[in-house]
Amino acid sequence: VKPCARHPATAAQYICPKCRTHSCDACVKAHESVSKRTVFCPVCATKALPLAEFAQIQGERQVREDLAFHQQIKGVFKYPFSKGGLAMLIIGTLLFFGLDFLVTWGWKMRFIMLKVLGYVGIVALFSAGYLCAYLQKILFATAQGEDDVPGWPEFSQWWDDIVVPFRLVIVACIASFGPAFAYMGFHVGNDSEMSLTILFPLFALGFLYFPMALLAAAMSNSCFAVNPLVVLPAITRLNLQYALA
C-alpha cells in the first residue's frame, strides 16, 4: 500500500497518471456534479485515478506492449472508434466540411466579395492549423499509451495553438519532399526534360521520410527535429516495422 505524498501515515487512494503523485481523499481537488465526482492531482491538476483503476490500465497496457508487432498494429484500425472517437469523427467531418465550403465559396466569389478575401485566408489558416494541432495532440496521447481519443485542442493563443503546429507540418513536408520539388522546379525553370528514374525515387524517399519527420517534430515541438541526423537513425532502428507501418 502506497502512502499519501503529503500524509505519509495515510494510505493513498488516488494516483496521478502524469506525475505519479499518490494522494489521499483529503489531498485531491474534487469536482462534483449531479452524477459524477472527478478528482484532480494536487500537484499538476491532472485528472487523478483510483489506484485499482490505474493498476488495471497499466496491466492492460503491459499486455498490449508484450504483443508482437503484427498483433499490435491491429489496434490502429480500432483506435478512431474508441471511447469518444466516433463522435469526434462525425463532429470533425462536419466542422472541416463547413470550413472547407466557406473557404471554397469565398474564393469563388472573390471578385464580388473582395473585402472577404482576408477573412477567407484567416479561416483557411485556422482550419489547417487547428487540424495540425489536433494531429499533434493525438500523437502525444498515443505516445503516452492512452487508449482513448483526446478531446479537441484548446484555443487560447493564436501563435502557440494554431501557427506552431501548422508550421511543424509544413517544415516536415519541406524536409521530406523539398528535394523532389526542387528537382522539378529546376527542370521547369530551365525548360529541360525531367528523368522519372530520378524523380520517382525522390518522391519515394520523401514518403518514407515524412512520417518519422512529422513524429519527431510534433513530439519535440521543434522544427529542428526534422534534421536527418535525428530522423534517419530513428528509421533505421525500426527498419521493417517502420516500412510496414
Side-chain angles (χ1 to χ4, degrees), residues 164-194:
V164 171
F166 183 59
R167 184 181 62 177
L168 293 175
V169 174
I170 295 298
V171 171
C173 289
I174 293 174
S176 304
F177 302 105
F181 283 110
Y183 179 77
M184 292 175 61
F186 174 80
H187 285 280
V188 170
N190 290 278
D191 197 22
S192 57
E193 186 176 355
M194 288 180 285

